[in-house]
Amino acid sequence: MFKRISKYWWCQIAGWAAYFVVNIFFAYSYQGSVDRSYTINLLLIIFFGLVATHALRSLLQRINWFQYSFESQMLLFFGLTVGAGIIIYVGNISVGNLFRDLSQQRTFADLKTVNFLIPIFLITAIWWLIYFVWHYIDRSRNTQVDKLKLESTVKELELKTIKSQLNPHFIFNALNSIRALVDENPQRARTAITELSNILRSSMQVEKAETVSLENELSIVKDYLALETIRFEERLKVEYDIDPETLELPIPPMMLQTLVENAIKHGISRIITGGTVLIGSHVRDMQHEITIENTGQLSASGPGFGFGIQSTRQRLSMLFGSRASFNIYNKDGEMVEVKVVMPLV
């Protein structure tokens, strides 16, 4: 039964009950007793206070007052305060006279009665102030929650969009590699198709994840490099410098594969004699640091402005914000280094 009572009515009951108790307490403290007329007068104020505030609240809900300007809302607040006060005043005088002796009857023009309006307006002003502040806080909280939900949804959609772009991008490059082998060596082309199948199977397993372990990502990278080794043969050398403690650390799915693919496409493939790709992973200064080094030199039209680099920066920013960093630069006269630093989570 009590669960069916709304918060609004609990506040109404508690507020007016507190008003009754406080007035009785102070009346008894100063006078030593509370007479019948005082109690009736107090109960009438409470009754018509409930009627006035509830009726005007129902009217307020119909006009969608939150859309009004601040100045209009201030006028509305003043009007509600005066309106509720007048309803209490008229009701108290009209009905109260039924319980009063002829000598105690009140009229609307009586000076004592008019003075009665001041505390009544104060009561209604406090009521409406609490009501307005409550709804402002509640609306602000709901707006903040909706904003966070919207930001979360947008971020999730952006991540899914980037993922959906990554896989076609990778497949396109992989198929180009396989196409180069079809006429030259059919047997190796079949082997390359098997490697591609392994990579696609692995990538589909992590499609729904925002992060995967480095170990899982490395398995995809090794399949990809096995495919590329078929194409480049002795021109491609791969080295690993992986701290075993970092294998379980989370990284964005397909990020490492994209960066390695980028290193081969823009580095190794452009050098007649080929080169080396070195993949490293360590924990330094309480952060996970991944490095990919490749033979070659970075130019203004190179990978710094390519899809792989842009998508990696976007995903790191979405997942880790300013806590992650991405840099690509010429390490020396022969090598380019990509360094990704992510927080330990």
Side-chain angles (χ1 to χ4, degrees), residues 312-325:
T312 299
R313 285 195 173 111
Q314 284 179 308
R315 284 192 292 167
L316 288 172
S317 175
M318 290 177 192
L319 291 172
F320 304 111
S322 60
R323 297 181 299 160
S325 64

Side-chain angles (χ1 to χ4, degrees), residues 152-220:
S152 177
T153 301
V154 170
K155 181 178 288 188
E156 183 179 351
L157 290 174
E158 288 177 343
L159 284 170
K160 288 181 178 179
T161 299
I162 292 173
K163 284 181 184 179
S164 67
Q165 291 173 334
L166 279 175
N167 287 337
H169 179 72
F170 160 70
I171 294 171
F172 176 77
N173 287 340
L175 289 175
N176 277 342
S177 299
I178 295 172
R179 184 181 63 180
L181 298 174
V182 170
D183 296 327
E184 180 182 344
N185 194 325
Q187 180 58 40
R188 289 189 177 182
R190 285 192 290 270
T191 303
I193 292 173
T194 301
E195 297 292 347
L196 177 59
S197 176
N198 292 336
I199 296 170
L200 293 178
R201 187 180 300 110
S202 298
S203 65
M204 285 188 292
Q205 291 174 353
V206 301
E207 184 67 27
K208 296 181 180 181
E210 289 189 359
T211 60
V212 295
S213 68
L214 175 64
E215 185 175 18
N216 289 341
E217 183 75 359
L218 274 174
S219 66
I220 299 176

Side-chain angles (χ1 to χ4, degrees), residues 57-93:
R57 169 183 174 270
S58 299
L59 177 64
L60 189 64
Q61 288 180 321
R62 294 179 183 178
I63 62 176
N64 201 12
W65 61 279
F66 268 112
Q67 294 183 356
Y68 290 14
S69 65
F70 178 77
E71 292 78 7
S72 297
Q73 290 185 20
M74 290 299 296
L75 290 174
L76 189 60
F77 171 81
F78 178 77
L80 291 168
T81 298
V82 173
I86 290 175
I87 292 174
I88 296 173
Y89 172 73
V90 172
N92 181 272
I93 299 301

Side-chain angles (χ1 to χ4, degrees), residues 110-150:
D110 183 72
L111 180 60
K112 184 179 180 180
T113 305
V114 172
N115 290 336
F116 174 68
L117 276 172
I118 297 175
I120 291 299
F121 285 150
L122 180 60
I123 293 168
T124 56
I126 292 173
W127 195 98
W128 287 111
L129 180 63
I130 293 173
Y131 183 83
F132 273 61
V133 170
W134 171 283
H135 279 276
Y136 270 116
I137 293 174
D138 186 61
R139 189 176 181 86
S140 177
R141 182 180 60 83
N142 290 335
T143 300
Q144 187 67 21
V145 171
D146 291 341
K147 182 180 178 181
L148 290 174
K149 287 181 179 179
L150 179 61

Side-chain angles (χ1 to χ4, degrees), residues 21-90:
V21 171
V22 168
N23 278 272
I24 292 295
F25 172 78
F26 281 107
Y28 186 83
S29 298
Y30 286 105
Q31 300 177 9
S33 63
V34 180
D35 58 26
R36 176 175 172 271
S37 63
Y38 180 85
T39 303
I40 291 175
N41 183 65
L42 188 59
L43 290 174
L44 286 173
I45 292 174
I46 293 172
F47 174 77
F48 284 105
L50 274 168
V51 171
T53 53
H54 182 68
L56 292 175
R57 169 183 174 270
S58 299
L59 177 64
L60 189 64
Q61 288 180 321
R62 294 179 183 178
I63 62 176
N64 201 12
W65 61 279
F66 268 112
Q67 294 183 356
Y68 290 14
S69 65
F70 178 77
E71 292 78 7
S72 297
Q73 290 185 20
M74 290 299 296
L75 290 174
L76 189 60
F77 171 81
F78 178 77
L80 291 168
T81 298
V82 173
I86 290 175
I87 292 174
I88 296 173
Y89 172 73
V90 172

